[in-house]
Coordinates of all heavy atoms in Angstrom, one line a residue:
P105 N 15.9 3.3 7.3 CA 14.5 3.0 6.9 C 14.1 3.6 5.6 O 14.6 4.7 5.2 CB 13.7 3.7 8.0 CG 14.7 4.6 8.8 CD 16.1 4.2 8.4
F106 N 13.3 2.9 4.8 CA 12.8 3.4 3.5 C 11.3 3.5 3.5 O 10.6 2.7 4.0 CB 13.2 2.3 2.4 CG 14.6 2.2 2.1 CD1 15.4 1.4 2.8 CD2 15.2 3.1 1.2 CE1 16.8 1.3 2.6 CE2 16.6 3.0 0.9 CZ 17.4 2.1 1.6
V107 N 10.9 4.6 2.9 CA 9.4 4.8 2.7 C 9.3 4.7 1.2 O 9.9 5.5 0.4 CB 8.9 6.2 3.2 CG1 7.5 6.4 2.8 CG2 9.0 6.2 4.7
G108 N 8.4 3.9 0.7 CA 8.3 3.7 -0.7 C 7.0 4.5 -1.2 O 6.1 4.7 -0.4
V109 N 7.0 4.8 -2.5 CA 5.8 5.3 -3.1 C 5.3 4.3 -4.1 O 6.0 4.0 -5.1 CB 6.1 6.7 -3.9 CG1 4.8 7.2 -4.5 CG2 6.6 7.7 -2.9
V110 N 4.1 3.8 -3.9 CA 3.5 2.8 -4.8 C 2.1 3.3 -5.2 O 1.5 4.2 -4.6 CB 3.5 1.4 -4.1 CG1 4.9 0.9 -3.7 CG2 2.5 1.4 -2.9
P111 N 1.6 2.7 -6.3 CA 0.3 3.2 -6.8 C -0.8 3.3 -5.8 O -1.1 2.3 -5.0 CB 0.0 2.1 -7.9 CG 1.3 1.6 -8.3 CD 2.1 1.6 -7.1
P112 N -1.5 4.4 -5.7 CA -2.5 4.7 -4.7 C -3.9 4.0 -5.0 O -4.9 4.7 -5.2 CB -2.6 6.2 -4.7 CG -2.3 6.6 -6.1 CD -1.3 5.6 -6.6
I113 N -3.8 2.7 -5.1 CA -5.0 1.9 -5.6 C -6.1 1.9 -4.5 O -7.3 2.0 -4.7 CB -4.6 0.5 -6.1 CG1 -3.8 0.7 -7.4 CG2 -5.8 -0.4 -6.2 CD1 -3.1 -0.5 -7.8
K114 N -5.6 1.8 -3.2 CA -6.5 1.6 -2.1 C -7.4 2.9 -2.0 O -8.6 2.8 -2.0 CB -5.8 1.4 -0.8 CG -6.7 1.0 0.3 CD -5.9 0.6 1.5 CE -6.8 0.2 2.7 NZ -6.4 0.9 3.9
P115 N -6.8 4.1 -1.9 CA -7.6 5.3 -1.9 C -8.5 5.5 -3.1 O -9.6 6.0 -3.1 CB -6.6 6.5 -1.7 CG -5.3 5.9 -2.0 CD -5.3 4.4 -1.7
A116 N -8.0 5.0 -4.3 CA -8.8 5.2 -5.5 C -10.0 4.3 -5.4 O -11.1 4.8 -5.7 CB -7.9 4.7 -6.7
A117 N -9.9 3.1 -4.9 CA -11.0 2.2 -4.7 C -12.0 2.8 -3.7 O -13.2 2.5 -3.8 CB -10.6 0.8 -4.3
E118 N -11.5 3.5 -2.7 CA -12.4 4.1 -1.7 C -13.1 5.3 -2.3 O -14.2 5.6 -1.9 CB -11.6 4.5 -0.5 CG -11.2 3.3 0.4 CD -10.0 3.5 1.4 OE1 -9.6 4.7 1.4 OE2 -9.6 2.6 2.0
A119 N -12.5 6.0 -3.2 CA -13.0 7.3 -3.7 C -14.0 7.1 -4.9 O -14.9 7.9 -5.1 CB -11.9 8.2 -4.2
T120 N -13.9 6.0 -5.6 CA -14.7 5.8 -6.8 C -16.2 5.6 -6.5 O -16.5 4.9 -5.6 CB -14.2 4.7 -7.8 OG1 -15.0 4.6 -8.9 CG2 -14.2 3.4 -7.1
R121 N -17.0 6.2 -7.3 CA -18.5 5.9 -7.2 C -18.9 5.0 -8.3 O -19.8 4.1 -8.2 CB -19.2 7.2 -7.2 CG -18.9 8.1 -6.0 CD -19.6 9.4 -6.1 NE -21.0 9.3 -5.8 CZ -21.5 9.5 -4.6 NH1 -20.7 9.9 -3.6 NH2 -22.8 9.3 -4.4
S122 N -18.3 5.2 -9.5 CA -18.7 4.4 -10.7 C -18.1 3.0 -10.6 O -18.5 2.1 -11.4 CB -18.3 5.1 -11.9 OG -16.9 5.1 -12.0
R123 N -17.0 2.8 -9.8 CA -16.2 1.6 -9.7 C -15.5 1.3 -11.0 O -15.3 0.2 -11.4 CB -17.0 0.4 -9.2 CG -17.3 0.4 -7.7 CD -18.1 -0.7 -7.2 NE -19.4 -0.7 -7.6 CZ -20.0 -1.6 -8.4 NH1 -19.3 -2.6 -8.8 NH2 -21.3 -1.5 -8.8
V124 N -15.2 2.4 -11.7 CA -14.3 2.3 -12.9 C -13.2 3.2 -12.7 O -13.3 4.5 -12.5 CB -15.1 2.8 -14.2 CG1 -14.3 2.5 -15.4 CG2 -16.4 2.0 -14.3
V125 N -12.0 2.6 -12.5 CA -10.8 3.3 -12.1 C -9.7 3.1 -13.1 O -9.6 2.0 -13.7 CB -10.4 2.8 -10.7 CG1 -9.0 3.2 -10.3 CG2 -11.4 3.1 -9.6
S126 N -8.8 4.1 -13.3 CA -7.6 3.9 -14.1 C -6.4 4.2 -13.3 O -6.4 5.0 -12.4 CB -7.7 4.8 -15.4 OG -8.7 4.3 -16.2
L127 N -5.3 3.5 -13.7 CA -4.0 3.7 -13.1 C -3.1 4.1 -14.1 O -2.8 3.4 -15.1 CB -3.6 2.4 -12.4 CG -2.4 2.4 -11.6 CD1 -2.5 1.3 -10.5 CD2 -1.2 2.0 -12.4
L128 N -2.6 5.3 -14.0 CA -1.7 5.9 -15.0 C -0.3 5.8 -14.5 O 0.0 6.4 -13.4 CB -2.1 7.4 -15.3 CG -1.4 8.1 -16.4 CD1 -1.5 7.5 -17.7 CD2 -1.9 9.6 -16.4
A129 N 0.6 5.1 -15.2 CA 1.9 4.8 -14.6 C 2.9 4.6 -15.8 O 2.6 4.8 -16.9 CB 1.9 3.5 -13.8
T130 N 4.2 4.3 -15.4 CA 5.1 3.9 -16.4 C 4.8 2.5 -16.9 O 4.2 1.7 -16.2 CB 6.6 4.0 -15.9 OG1 6.8 3.0 -14.9 CG2 6.9 5.4 -15.3
P131 N 5.4 2.1 -18.1 CA 5.2 0.7 -18.5 C 5.7 -0.2 -17.5 O 5.2 -1.3 -17.3 CB 5.9 0.7 -19.9 CG 5.9 2.1 -20.3 CD 6.0 3.0 -19.1
G132 N 6.8 0.1 -16.8 CA 7.5 -0.7 -15.8 C 6.5 -1.0 -14.7 O 6.3 -2.2 -14.3
T133 N 5.9 0.0 -14.1 CA 5.0 -0.1 -13.0 C 3.8 -0.9 -13.3 O 3.3 -1.8 -12.5 CB 4.6 1.3 -12.5 OG1 5.7 2.0 -12.0 CG2 3.6 1.2 -11.3
V134 N 3.3 -0.7 -14.5 CA 2.1 -1.5 -15.0 C 2.4 -3.0 -15.1 O 1.5 -3.8 -14.9 CB 1.6 -0.8 -16.3 CG1 0.8 -1.8 -17.1 CG2 0.8 0.5 -16.1
A135 N 3.6 -3.3 -15.5 CA 4.0 -4.7 -15.7 C 4.3 -5.4 -14.3 O 4.3 -6.6 -14.3 CB 5.2 -4.8 -16.5
R136 N 4.5 -4.7 -13.2 CA 4.9 -5.3 -12.0 C 3.9 -6.3 -11.4 O 2.7 -5.9 -11.3 CB 5.2 -4.3 -10.9 CG 6.2 -3.3 -11.2 CD 7.6 -3.7 -10.8 NE 8.5 -2.6 -11.2 CZ 9.2 -2.5 -12.3 NH1 9.1 -3.4 -13.2 NH2 9.9 -1.5 -12.5
A137 N 4.4 -7.4 -10.9 CA 3.5 -8.3 -10.1 C 2.9 -7.6 -8.9 O 1.7 -7.8 -8.6 CB 4.3 -9.6 -9.7
Y138 N 3.7 -6.8 -8.3 CA 3.3 -6.0 -7.1 C 2.1 -5.2 -7.4 O 1.1 -5.1 -6.6 CB 4.5 -5.1 -6.6 CG 4.2 -4.4 -5.3 CD1 4.5 -5.0 -4.1 CD2 3.6 -3.2 -5.3 CE1 4.3 -4.3 -2.9 CE2 3.3 -2.5 -4.1 CZ 3.6 -3.1 -3.0 OH 3.4 -2.4 -1.8
T139 N 2.1 -4.5 -8.6 CA 0.9 -3.7 -8.9 C -0.3 -4.5 -9.1 O -1.4 -4.1 -8.7 CB 1.3 -2.9 -10.2 OG1 2.4 -2.1 -10.0 CG2 0.1 -2.0 -10.7
H140 N -0.2 -5.6 -9.8 CA -1.3 -6.5 -10.0 C -1.9 -7.1 -8.7 O -3.1 -7.2 -8.5 CB -0.9 -7.7 -11.0 CG -0.7 -7.1 -12.4 ND1 -1.6 -7.2 -13.4 CD2 0.4 -6.5 -12.9 CE1 -1.2 -6.6 -14.5 NE2 0.1 -6.2 -14.2
E141 N -1.0 -7.3 -7.7 CA -1.4 -7.8 -6.4 C -2.2 -6.7 -5.7 O -3.2 -7.0 -5.0 CB -0.2 -8.3 -5.6 CG 0.2 -9.6 -5.9 CD 1.7 -9.9 -5.5 OE1 2.1 -9.3 -4.5 OE2 2.3 -10.8 -6.2
L142 N -1.7 -5.5 -5.8 CA -2.4 -4.3 -5.2 C -3.8 -4.2 -5.7 O -4.8 -4.0 -4.9 CB -1.7 -3.0 -5.5 CG -0.5 -2.5 -4.7 CD1 -0.1 -1.2 -5.2 CD2 -0.9 -2.4 -3.2
V143 N -4.0 -4.3 -7.0 CA -5.3 -4.2 -7.7 C -6.2 -5.4 -7.1 O -7.3 -5.1 -6.7 CB -5.2 -4.3 -9.2 CG1 -6.6 -4.4 -9.8 CG2 -4.4 -3.1 -9.7
E144 N -5.6 -6.5 -7.1 CA -6.4 -7.7 -6.6 C -6.9 -7.5 -5.2 O -8.0 -7.8 -4.8 CB -5.4 -8.9 -6.7 CG -6.1 -10.2 -6.4 CD -6.6 -10.9 -7.7 OE1 -6.8 -10.2 -8.7 OE2 -6.7 -12.1 -7.7
T145 N -5.9 -7.0 -4.4 CA -6.2 -6.9 -2.9 C -7.2 -5.8 -2.6 O -8.1 -5.9 -1.8 CB -4.9 -6.6 -2.1 OG1 -4.0 -7.6 -2.5 CG2 -5.1 -6.6 -0.6
Y146 N -7.1 -4.6 -3.3 CA -7.8 -3.5 -2.9 C -8.9 -3.0 -3.8 O -9.8 -2.3 -3.5 CB -6.9 -2.2 -2.7 CG -6.0 -2.5 -1.5 CD1 -4.6 -2.6 -1.7 CD2 -6.4 -2.5 -0.2 CE1 -3.7 -2.9 -0.7 CE2 -5.5 -2.7 0.9 CZ -4.2 -2.9 0.6 OH -3.3 -3.1 1.7
A147 N -8.9 -3.5 -5.1 CA -9.8 -3.0 -6.0 C -10.5 -4.1 -6.8 O -10.9 -3.9 -8.0 CB -9.1 -2.0 -7.0
S148 N -10.7 -5.3 -6.2 CA -11.2 -6.4 -7.0 C -12.7 -6.1 -7.4 O -13.2 -6.7 -8.3 CB -11.1 -7.7 -6.2 OG -11.7 -7.5 -5.0
A149 N -13.3 -5.2 -6.7 CA -14.7 -4.9 -7.0 C -14.8 -3.8 -8.1 O -15.9 -3.4 -8.5 CB -15.5 -4.4 -5.8
C150 N -13.7 -3.3 -8.6 CA -13.7 -2.3 -9.6 C -13.2 -2.8 -10.9 O -12.4 -3.8 -11.0 CB -12.7 -1.1 -9.2 SG -13.2 -0.4 -7.6
A151 N -13.6 -2.1 -12.0 CA -13.0 -2.3 -13.3 C -11.8 -1.4 -13.4 O -11.9 -0.2 -13.3 CB -14.0 -2.0 -14.4
V152 N -10.6 -2.0 -13.4 CA -9.4 -1.2 -13.3 C -8.6 -1.3 -14.6 O -8.4 -2.4 -15.1 CB -8.4 -1.7 -12.2 CG1 -7.1 -0.9 -12.1 CG2 -9.1 -1.6 -10.8
T153 N -8.3 -0.2 -15.2 CA -7.6 -0.1 -16.5 C -6.1 0.3 -16.1 O -6.0 1.4 -15.5 CB -8.2 0.9 -17.5 OG1 -9.5 0.5 -17.7 CG2 -7.4 0.9 -18.8
L154 N -5.2 -0.5 -16.5 CA -3.8 -0.1 -16.2 C -3.2 0.5 -17.5 O -3.2 -0.1 -18.6 CB -2.9 -1.4 -15.9 CG -3.4 -2.2 -14.7 CD1 -2.5 -3.4 -14.5 CD2 -3.4 -1.3 -13.4
V155 N -2.8 1.8 -17.4 CA -2.3 2.5 -18.5 C -0.8 2.8 -18.4 O -0.4 3.5 -17.5 CB -3.0 3.8 -18.7 CG1 -2.5 4.6 -19.9 CG2 -4.5 3.6 -18.8
G156 N 0.0 2.1 -19.2 CA 1.5 2.3 -19.1 C 1.8 3.4 -20.2 O 1.9 3.1 -21.4
A157 N 2.1 4.6 -19.7 CA 2.3 5.7 -20.7 C 3.8 5.7 -21.0 O 4.6 5.9 -20.1 CB 1.9 7.0 -20.0
P158 N 4.1 5.6 -22.3 CA 5.5 5.5 -22.6 C 6.3 6.8 -22.5 O 7.5 6.8 -22.2 CB 5.5 5.0 -24.1 CG 4.2 5.3 -24.6 CD 3.2 5.4 -23.4
N159 N 5.7 7.9 -22.7 CA 6.4 9.2 -22.8 C 6.2 10.2 -21.7 O 6.8 11.3 -21.7 CB 6.1 9.8 -24.1 CG 6.4 8.9 -25.3 OD1 7.5 8.4 -25.4 ND2 5.4 8.7 -26.1
L160 N 5.2 10.0 -20.8 CA 4.7 11.0 -19.9 C 5.8 11.5 -19.0 O 5.9 12.7 -18.7 CB 3.5 10.6 -19.1 CG 2.1 10.8 -19.7 CD1 1.1 10.5 -18.6 CD2 2.0 12.3 -20.1
A161 N 6.6 10.6 -18.4 CA 7.6 11.1 -17.5 C 8.6 12.0 -18.2 O 8.9 13.1 -17.6 CB 8.4 9.9 -16.9
G162 N 9.0 11.7 -19.4 CA 9.8 12.6 -20.1 C 9.1 14.0 -20.4 O 9.8 15.0 -20.4
F163 N 7.8 13.9 -20.7 CA 7.1 15.1 -21.0 C 7.1 16.0 -19.7 O 7.2 17.2 -19.8 CB 5.6 14.8 -21.4 CG 5.5 14.2 -22.7 CD1 4.3 13.7 -23.2 CD2 6.6 14.2 -23.6 CE1 4.1 13.1 -24.4 CE2 6.4 13.6 -24.9 CZ 5.2 13.1 -25.3
A164 N 7.0 15.4 -18.6 CA 6.9 16.1 -17.3 C 8.3 16.8 -17.1 O 8.4 17.9 -16.6 CB 6.6 15.2 -16.1
E165 N 9.4 16.1 -17.4 CA 10.7 16.7 -17.3 C 10.8 17.9 -18.2 O 11.4 18.9 -17.8 CB 11.8 15.6 -17.6 CG 11.7 14.4 -16.7 CD 12.9 14.2 -15.8 OE1 14.1 14.6 -16.2 OE2 12.8 13.8 -14.6
A166 N 10.3 17.7 -19.4 CA 10.4 18.8 -20.4 C 9.6 20.1 -19.9 O 10.1 21.2 -20.0 CB 9.9 18.4 -21.7
E167 N 8.5 19.8 -19.3 CA 7.6 20.9 -18.7 C 8.4 21.7 -17.7 O 8.4 22.9 -17.7 CB 6.3 20.3 -18.1 CG 5.4 21.3 -17.6 CD 4.2 21.5 -18.5 OE1 4.1 21.0 -19.6 OE2 3.3 22.3 -18.0
L168 N 9.1 20.9 -16.8 CA 9.8 21.6 -15.7 C 11.0 22.3 -16.2 O 11.4 23.3 -15.7 CB 10.2 20.5 -14.7 CG 10.4 21.0 -13.3 CD1 9.1 21.4 -12.7 CD2 11.0 19.8 -12.4
A169 N 11.6 21.8 -17.3 CA 12.7 22.5 -17.9 C 12.3 23.6 -18.9 O 13.2 24.2 -19.6 CB 13.6 21.5 -18.7
G170 N 11.0 24.0 -18.9 CA 10.6 25.1 -19.7 C 10.3 24.8 -21.1 O 10.2 25.7 -21.9
S171 N 10.2 23.5 -21.5 CA 9.9 23.2 -22.9 C 8.7 22.3 -22.9 O 8.8 21.1 -23.2 CB 11.0 22.4 -23.6 OG 12.2 23.1 -23.4
P172 N 7.5 22.8 -22.6 CA 6.3 21.9 -22.5 C 6.0 21.3 -23.9 O 6.2 21.9 -24.9 CB 5.2 22.9 -22.1 CG 5.7 24.2 -22.1 CD 7.2 24.2 -22.3
V173 N 5.4 20.1 -23.8 CA 5.0 19.4 -25.0 C 3.6 19.9 -25.4 O 2.9 20.4 -24.5 CB 5.0 17.8 -24.9 CG1 6.4 17.3 -24.7 CG2 4.1 17.4 -23.8
D174 N 3.2 19.6 -26.6 CA 1.9 20.2 -27.1 C 0.7 19.3 -26.5 O 0.9 18.2 -26.2 CB 1.8 20.4 -28.6 CG 2.0 19.1 -29.3 OD1 1.4 18.1 -29.0 OD2 2.8 19.1 -30.3
D175 N -0.4 19.9 -26.6 CA -1.6 19.3 -26.0 C -1.9 18.0 -26.6 O -2.3 17.0 -26.0 CB -2.9 20.2 -26.2 CG -2.9 21.4 -25.2 OD1 -2.1 21.4 -24.3 OD2 -3.7 22.3 -25.4
A176 N -1.8 17.9 -28.0 CA -2.2 16.6 -28.7 C -1.3 15.5 -28.2 O -1.9 14.4 -27.9 CB -2.0 16.8 -30.2
A177 N 0.0 15.7 -28.0 CA 0.8 14.6 -27.5 C 0.4 14.2 -26.1 O 0.4 13.0 -25.8 CB 2.3 15.1 -27.5
L178 N 0.1 15.1 -25.3 CA -0.3 14.8 -23.9 C -1.6 14.1 -23.8 O -1.8 13.1 -23.1 CB -0.4 16.1 -23.1 CG 0.2 16.2 -21.7 CD1 1.5 15.6 -21.6 CD2 0.2 17.6 -21.2
A179 N -2.5 14.6 -24.7 CA -3.9 14.0 -24.7 C -3.8 12.5 -25.1 O -4.6 11.7 -24.6 CB -4.8 14.8 -25.6
R180 N -2.9 12.2 -26.1 CA -2.8 10.9 -26.6 C -2.3 9.9 -25.4 O -2.8 8.8 -25.3 CB -1.7 10.8 -27.7 CG -2.3 10.7 -29.1 CD -1.3 10.3 -30.1 NE 0.0 11.0 -30.1 CZ 0.2 12.2 -30.7 NH1 -0.8 12.8 -31.3 NH2 1.3 12.8 -30.6
E181 N -1.5 10.4 -24.6 CA -0.9 9.6 -23.5 C -2.0 9.3 -22.4 O -2.0 8.2 -21.8 CB 0.3 10.2 -22.8 CG 1.4 10.5 -23.7 CD 2.4 9.3 -23.8 OE1 2.7 8.7 -22.8 OE2 2.9 9.1 -24.9
I182 N -2.9 10.3 -22.2 CA -3.8 10.0 -21.1 C -5.2 9.5 -21.6 O -6.0 9.0 -20.8 CB -4.1 11.3 -20.2 CG1 -4.8 12.4 -21.1 CG2 -2.8 11.8 -19.6 CD1 -5.4 13.6 -20.2
A183 N -5.4 9.5 -22.9 CA -6.6 9.0 -23.5 C -7.1 7.6 -23.0 O -8.3 7.5 -22.7 CB -6.6 9.1 -25.0
P184 N -6.2 6.6 -22.9 CA -6.6 5.3 -22.5 C -7.2 5.2 -21.1 O -7.8 4.2 -20.7 CB -5.4 4.4 -22.7 CG -4.4 5.2 -23.5 CD -4.8 6.6 -23.3
C185 N -7.0 6.3 -20.3 CA -7.5 6.3 -18.9 C -9.0 6.5 -18.9 O -9.7 6.2 -17.9 CB -6.9 7.4 -18.1 SG -5.2 7.2 -17.8

Side-chain angles (χ1 to χ4, degrees):
F106 290 90
V107 174
V109 178
V110 299
I113 289 166
K114 188 172 181 233
E118 286 161 3
T120 181
R121 298 176 72 96
S122 66
R123 284 181 290 116
V124 186
V125 168
S126 290
L127 186 148
L128 184 60
T130 66
T133 298
V134 159
R136 300 273 183 266
Y138 184 92
T139 303
H140 291 263
E141 281 159 26
L142 275 182
V143 171
E144 186 93 339
T145 306
Y146 295 110
S148 57
C150 300
V152 179
T153 303
L154 303 179
V155 179
N159 305 306
L160 267 187
F163 290 170
E165 300 245 325
E167 181 102 356
L168 206 64
S171 312
V173 293
D174 61 44
D175 281 351
L178 219 50
R180 259 197 309 277
E181 299 270 321
I182 65 168
C185 291

